[in-house]
Structures are given as structure tokens and as C-alpha cells.
Amino acid sequence: MSETILVGIDGTEENRRAVDYAIKQAKRSKAKLILAYVIKWSPYTFQTAEENERRHKHREEDIQFVHERVMDPMLDSLASEGLEITGLVRHGQVADSLIYLAKKHDATEIVVGRIGDKSVKTLIFGSVVAKLIQLSHIPVTIVP
Amino acid sequence: MKKQSIITGTLAFLLLMLMPMLAFAQEAGGGFDALVNKIFHTVLGPFVSLIFFSVSINGVSFPLIVAWLLIAAVVLSIKFEFVQFKGVKHSIDLLRGAYSDPDNPGEVSHFQALCTALSGTVGLGNIAGVAVAISLGGPGATFWMIIAGLFGMAAKFTECTLAVKYRNEYPDGTVSGGPMYYLSKGMSDKGKPRLGKAMGVFFAVMCIFGAMGGGNMFQGNQAHQMFSNTFGLFVGSGWLFGLILAILVGLVIIGGIKSIAKVTDKIVPFMAILYVGTALIILLVNIAQIPAAIGVVLAGAFAPKAIAGGIVGVLIQGLKRAAFSNEAGVGSAAIAHAAVRTKEPLTEGYVAMLGPFIDTVIICTMTAMVIVITGAYNIEGLSGVALTSSAFQSVFPWFGTLLAGAVLLFAFSTMISWSYYGLKCWTYLFGESKGSEISYKVIFCIFVVIGCSASLGPVIDFSDAAIFAMSITNVIGLYMFMGELKVDMKDYQARLASGEIKRYK
């Protein structure tokens, strides 16, 4: 059975290095590649009724926006690599969602860039990367 | 973005135009107020007396509309086999996402839907209403309030399920629903389209009046009173307070300025938790007195001393305040719950029925217990917010400031919720165009200023009457649809038991 590498995508310059690294890895081990973009979303925030009413529409728009701006251009640029690449976009908390997708698609490794999040919230609640390392059931590679 | 600023600008301009008029009204010693009062009194007075038509039991007047809501809640509880007790575990499972498909994240969660609906009911009723019930009916009123809250859960279950079942879904994925839609669509399915339409229109008209009154002017008015009493600011210049509040409301509902809504959305739950938390601390500190306090409540409920009307008097005060606080059977929260995307209408009913539980059984009871334990209800001449405030302040002297902030924020979030209920009814009547929406929203903001600037007794009476009038056609609808809903419920429970409805965690 061939291996599957899951790469977290956020559309930043720094993130591109993680993608390049994953491609090198995938070529070496003839692995499949899954690019996953997580749109930050929590089911426990408070919303007005008007936001609730439009939520479905906004959700579709968010997903389409990410496909057009980030995912599709990236898939196009990688088309010549000769690898089997799938792009996924979903809502949720970043670490939880990446782990969920990794389990669902039987991934053997998760690759993410170091996310330059230095807010107070990160100090209190820990970063996405830290959470990923603690919760993951498979090896996690962090590309600086 | 540019369109937004134009709208916001127009709004600010409109409100500025209003300013001199309101300032004049204040200076003229209520010339404007007196006129408005007179109009409301002569034209709408008979309507108010009709809705609040009361019979006298043991010398206490009992509004029949309260009996109307309570009887409906009891009938529905029996019809749905006390779903409010049997189904609570399922409600909590739904709330924590046990039945939400993990491959379809990003839609409105059950938790969010409940919070949105709660922000419309949690507010002055929980703080001031309870105190009113206790000062008029004694501590025993608390017991009857809890009983009414528990039965009210079944009414909420029914109306919110119906609201989802008969809502309108549009091609772009947005939705509109509520009693006006289930009354007209559902009755038309039953072969009575004209009756259904009439009932829906009646509901919608009353809801718009209720939104402008109880959901807007009353909230602003009380917030201003609390604010000026506590901080000594805006005394005698309610119009200025109202103007600031109207601009904030306008920025959220017209300008779609998310940041203000986001700020209140963060602070309101915080305030609610702080309020309940403070009450809990007071109760924990006095834990030894709790059995005695429960004794006082129970004794007061069945054998009250020195309460007008005896046991009936206590009962009425409790039932009345519970109905005012959780609005079960009124149909308001059903409009908020209809906005949720779910394949199974019943899931929304299960979640929605937790509303009266949290609102009346938890928060109102907390307030009541604090008032009873601190003995504040024995102080002569205290009622409403002042009574609650004095009860909390006897333990935490700083609480007055916090309570003033809480009242202001609860009032603001209640306004935002009711503005949506009124809007949905407005578009039901006048069509879903941008123009009709904007005109409603501008009128809503103008009413904020009016509500804050004057003590408009008859106007408030009218808006209370309008909110309760919503329940006239809504409750008839609940009776007409309860048969088909029972079939739906049995089917849902069977599919739940067989595992056809999948559980994910």
C-alpha cells in the first residue's frame, strides 16, 4: 500500500516551503499527497440570527474563495510534478481538522509549516503546531 | 464597503434630524410624550384591555392570556409524552454535536442556534421580572415560575420544530421561517389557505409591534433608567442616550458592522456567566441556609401569608413572570431557530426546548434564591431591578455597577434579536427587497430614540399586549399541527432507535 502525506496549506509564502518539502518526500517514497486548507471556524461562537440565516451561503462562498485563490493555483503549479495530488478545503479548528482528515484518508505523515502566530491567544492556549504534536497519532514534520 | 458607509451616513443624518425634535419634547415637559401617550391610550387602549382581559380570582386579577399560554404548555406536554423530561439527554447530545456530520462542518451548530435564541429572551425578565414576582407574590412565586418554565419547554419544542419544517428556503441557500410561515403554509396544506394567511398576517403585524415595543422601546427605556440611576449620567437627556444606542444598533443591523456585534457577542455570555456565577457564590457562601430558603419557597407556594389572593395570588404572579421571561408559546424564538440548516426539523425542537429551562428554571431561580436567602424581599418598598440589585449588593457592594452594565448589554442584545424577528415579519408582509428591509431597520432605530427619551407608559402597555397577542394565532396553530407533529416525532424516535439517524460520537 502506498503512503499518503497530508500537508496543511494556509496560502502564505512560508507555507510554500512545507509544500516543497512534502513533494520531495512524496517523490522519494512514491507517496500520494493531500493538500488540506482549514478555514478557521468554531461551532461555539455566538452569532446574530441574521448571520445564522446567511451561514450556508457564506460557507459556500468561503470554500469557493479558497479554491479560487489558493488551492486551484497551487494544484495547477504542481501538475507537472507527476504526483497524485488531492486538494481539500474544510471548516474547523486547524489542528483538529488536520488530524481528522489524516485519519479519514489513512495518512502516514502530516507536514505543516511553522505558523508565525505570536498573539496573546497563542501564549494562553498554545499554538496550532503544539496542539498538532500532542494530538497526532502519526509523525508530524514541521518545516521552518 | 462604500454602500455600507452611505447607509450608515444616511442613518446618522436621519437621527440627527430627530435630535432637535426630541430635545424639544424633553424641554416642553413631555409635550411630545403627552401627545404620543394620548394617541396610544385612546386608539389602542381598548386593544390592550382586550388582550389582558382579566378575571378576578380571590380578588387578584388573572389575565386570561396567561392561562391561554399555560393550558397550551400543559396540553402539549401531555401530547408529546413529556418530551421535556424524556428527551433532555438527546437535547444535550445534539448540542454537543454528537449527531453532526463531521464531513460537513461550518454550518450553524445547534449550540449557536440556541445561544442566538437565548440572547432574545435572557435579559430584564430574568433580573427585574423575578423581583417583581417575589415582591407581589412572595417567595412562593418562584415555585410556580419553575413549574411554568418546565411546561413551557413543550410549547417551545413544538413551535421551533414547526418553524423549521415549514420555512422557506431560497436558491442562494438563505432561509426564512417562523410562525407566520407555518401558519400560512401549513394551513394551506390542510386546505384552509385563506384562514392560514389571515392567521399569519395577524401574527406578523403583532410581532412587528412587539419588536418595536417590548423588544426595543422597553429595553432602551429600562437600560437608560438603570444607567442614569447608577452612574448619574444622561439624567434628563434620555434622547442623547437613545441616540447613541440607536447609532450602535443601526451600525449592527443596517451597516452590518460585525465588530460591534462581535464585541457584544463576546461580552453578553461573559456577563451572563458572571451574573449566574455571582449568584452561585452567594448561594454557596450561604449553603447552610439553602434548605431553609427552599422551605420558605415551598411554604410560600402552598400556604402563603399576607399575599393578596392567597395561593391563587402567588400562583398568578409566578406564572405571569415565567410567561414574560421565556416567551414559550409566543412564537418569537421560533423565528431565530428557523434559520438553522438541518435535515431533521425535530432536532431543532429538541435543542430549542432547553431555552425555557436555562432561562426560567436556571437563571430566574438563581435570582429568586439570592433574593430569598439575603432576605432582601422583606425590605419595604423595593421592587424590580432595585430589589435584585439590593439583594446582590448586600453581599457584594460593587454589584450595582456590574448589574447596570449587564442590563445595558442584555437590552442591546435583546434589541438586536427582536429587530430580526420584526424584520422577518416585515418582509413576510411587504416582500424581501433591500428597500423594504432598510426602511424597517431605519424605523427600528428611530424607535430606539423614542423609547429612551420618554416614559411612555401606554406605549409599553401596548407593546406587551402585542407580544402576547402573537400567541393567539400561534397557539391555535400549535393545536392544529400537534397531531401531525406527533407522527413526525414517533418516526424520528424510531429512526433514532434503529440507528438510521447516525450518531458520530
Side-chain angles (χ1 to χ4, degrees):
Chain A
M1 196 188 108
S2 73
E3 299 192 342
T4 305
I5 301 173
L6 182 85
V7 194
I9 302 294
D10 65 3
T12 59
E13 270 304 306
E14 296 78 15
N15 183 252
R16 183 72 207 195
R17 288 202 293 274
V19 177
D20 292 339
Y21 172 83
I23 291 197
K24 229 185 323 175
Q25 286 290 96
K27 279 184 178 161
R28 200 177 300 153
S29 56
K30 299 205 168 46
K32 282 191 285 191
L33 211 56
I34 296 175
L35 306 183
Y37 189 110
V38 180
I39 304 169
K40 279 183 196 156
W41 163 258
S42 162
Y44 298 109
T45 53
F46 290 78
Q47 304 213 98
T48 62
E50 218 159 355
E51 284 175 302
N52 286 350
E53 178 190 311
R54 303 221 170 92
R55 181 62 214 159
H56 180 67
K57 194 177 160 199
H58 285 164
R59 175 180 177 272
E60 308 270 285
E61 285 168 359
D62 284 352
I63 292 175
Q64 204 191 345
F65 182 84
V66 170
H67 268 296
E68 278 170 11
R69 291 295 182 85
V70 183
M71 192 56 84
D72 294 350
M74 187 170 272
L75 287 175
D76 286 345
S77 74
L78 300 176
S80 55
E81 302 283 352
L83 288 163
E84 191 188 330
I85 308 177
T86 325
L88 300 171
V89 178
R90 69 180 262 134
H91 285 80
Q93 261 137 7
V94 180
D96 294 338
S97 301
L98 289 179
I99 289 167
Y100 175 79
L101 289 175
K103 278 189 183 148
K104 192 183 167 197
H105 297 277
D106 289 322
T108 41
E109 185 185 353
I110 298 177
V111 175
V112 288
R114 190 163 60 196
I115 299 151
D117 192 3
K118 291 196 181 68
S119 61
V120 181
K121 208 173 147 193
T122 313
L123 279 174
I124 299 168
F125 298 108
S127 70
V128 169
V129 169
K131 198 174 170 191
L132 201 54
I133 293 168
Q134 281 185 345
L135 295 178
S136 179
H137 58 294
I138 49 173
V140 177
T141 304
I142 292 124
V143 181
Chain B
M1 278 302 122
K2 199 170 175 197
K3 200 170 134 222
Q4 263 185 16
S5 62
I6 293 171
I7 295 163
T8 325
T10 319
L11 171 72
F13 177 73
L14 259 171
L15 291 171
L16 278 170
M17 295 270 292
L18 259 178
M19 232 164 79
M21 188 177 92
L22 289 159
F24 171 76
Q26 292 271 327
E27 280 163 24
F32 174 68
D33 304 2
L35 182 69
V36 176
N37 281 352
K38 208 175 159 200
I39 294 170
F40 270 80
H41 198 75
T42 43
V43 180
L44 300 162
F47 170 77
V48 175
S49 349
L50 185 70
I51 297 298
F52 286 125
F53 181 78
S54 304
V55 287
S56 184
I57 307 170
N58 281 16
V60 185
S61 71
F62 185 44
L64 286 182
I65 195 84
V66 174
W68 173 250
L69 285 171
L70 188 74
I71 291 168
V74 172
V75 169
L76 293 167
S77 298
I78 296 166
K79 181 78 186 174
F80 293 108
E81 298 161 359
F82 291 92
V83 64
Q84 65 263 56
F85 304 122
K86 288 189 193 163
V88 156
K89 198 187 161 292
H90 185 56
S91 301
I92 292 165
D93 282 344
L94 285 167
L95 208 57
R96 58 183 194 87
Y99 292 91
S100 311
D101 184 357
D103 283 323
N104 195 21
E107 298 286 1
V108 179
S109 66
H110 289 299
F111 180 85
Q112 286 168 326
L114 181 64
C115 287
T116 308
L118 271 177
S119 73
T121 60
V122 173
L124 284 167
N126 306 71
I127 298 170
V130 178
V132 172
I134 291 179
S135 55
L136 293 178
T142 313
F143 177 81
W144 298 113
M145 227 169 54
I146 296 174
I147 297 294
L150 290 173
F151 279 110
M153 290 168 77
K156 205 68 123 186
F157 171 83
T158 318
E159 63 190 16
C160 293
T161 308
L162 285 173
V164 174
K165 188 174 177 187
Y166 288 106
R167 67 178 166 201
N168 274 3
E169 287 186 43
Y170 302 104
D172 68 349
T174 58
V175 284
S176 276
M180 56 288 186
Y181 287 96
Y182 62 71
L183 289 171
S184 53
K185 280 169 84 174
M187 294 296 280
S188 145
D189 289 357
K190 290 190 192 304
K192 297 190 186 71
R194 290 175 69 184
L195 178 66
K197 187 79 191 167
M199 285 165 77
V201 168
F202 180 85
F203 175 88
V205 171
M206 287 307 136
C207 183
I208 292 168
F209 284 129
M212 295 294 177
N216 178 346
M217 291 196 290
F218 175 69
Q219 301 294 331
N221 194 283
Q222 292 295 300
H224 171 243
Q225 271 186 22
M226 185 76 193
F227 203 78
S228 57
N229 287 345
T230 312
F231 302 112
L233 295 168
F234 300 109
V235 182
S237 54
W239 62 270
L240 184 61
F241 181 85
L243 191 70
I244 296 169
L245 199 57
I247 289 172
L248 288 173
V249 170
L251 286 173
V252 174
I253 65 172
I254 302 178
I257 307 294
K258 286 243 176 86
S259 50
I260 298 171
K262 285 271 175 288
V263 169
T264 47
D265 292 348
K266 291 269 186 314
I267 300 176
V268 167
F270 176 74
M271 280 287 183
I273 291 165
L274 203 62
Y275 181 79
V276 173
T278 315
L280 264 180
I281 292 170
I282 295 176
L283 296 181
L284 281 178
V285 169
N286 297 296
I287 197 155
Q289 293 172 44
I290 287 180
I294 293 173
V296 169
V297 168
L298 288 178
F302 295 103
K305 285 178 212 134
I307 297 298
I311 182 167
V312 182
V314 182
L315 185 87
I316 291 169
Q317 293 306 334
L319 301 184
K320 217 169 146 180
R321 286 299 140 189
F324 270 105
S325 171
N326 66 42
E327 295 165 10
V330 168
S332 48
I335 302 175
H337 278 285
V340 176
R341 199 174 174 85
T342 168
K343 277 180 231 134
E344 302 284 349
L346 272 150
T347 56
E348 212 46 45
Y350 274 102
V351 172
M353 77 180 187
L354 292 175
F357 185 80
I358 295 170
D359 182 278
T360 308
V361 182
I362 297 182
I363 306 184
C364 283
T365 308
M366 290 279 182
T367 308
M369 289 308 278
V370 169
I371 293 174
V372 172
I373 278 191
T374 56
Y377 68 101
N378 289 320
I379 305 167
E380 281 292 311
L382 273 185
S383 183
V385 160
L387 174 55
T388 312
S389 190
S390 122
F392 277 87
Q393 276 179 319
S394 67
V395 184
F396 296 113
W398 46 264
F399 196 76
T401 319
L402 178 86
L403 197 64
V407 166
L408 182 66
L409 284 162
F410 285 148
F412 187 75
S413 72
T414 305
M415 280 176 171
I416 303 290
S417 300
W418 271 93
S419 81
Y420 179 79
Y421 303 159
L423 175 71
K424 287 286 112 180
C425 290
W426 182 274
T427 54
Y428 169 80
L429 294 172
F430 303 113
E432 312 216 7
S433 73
K434 267 271 164 284
S436 106
E437 283 188 17
I438 295 286
S439 26
Y440 165 82
K441 287 171 174 177
V442 170
I443 295 171
F444 191 86
C445 290
I446 293 170
F447 272 89
V448 177
V449 188
I450 298 177
C452 292
S453 50
S455 53
L456 304 168
V459 180
I460 303 299
D461 287 347
F462 169 72
S463 57
D464 273 353
I467 289 182
F468 279 85
M470 288 159 69
S471 75
I472 296 175
T473 52
N474 186 42
V475 166
I476 296 175
L478 299 184
Y479 286 134
M480 306 213 54
F481 294 115
M482 68 182 185
E484 74 170 65
L485 211 59
K486 178 76 178 276
V487 178
D488 290 354
M489 187 177 91
K490 287 285 158 204
D491 175 55
Y492 177 80
Q493 286 171 342
R495 282 184 293 136
L496 206 59
S498 74
E500 193 187 326
I501 295 171
K502 216 174 145 198
R503 194 189 167 103
Y504 295 95
K505 36 178 186 193

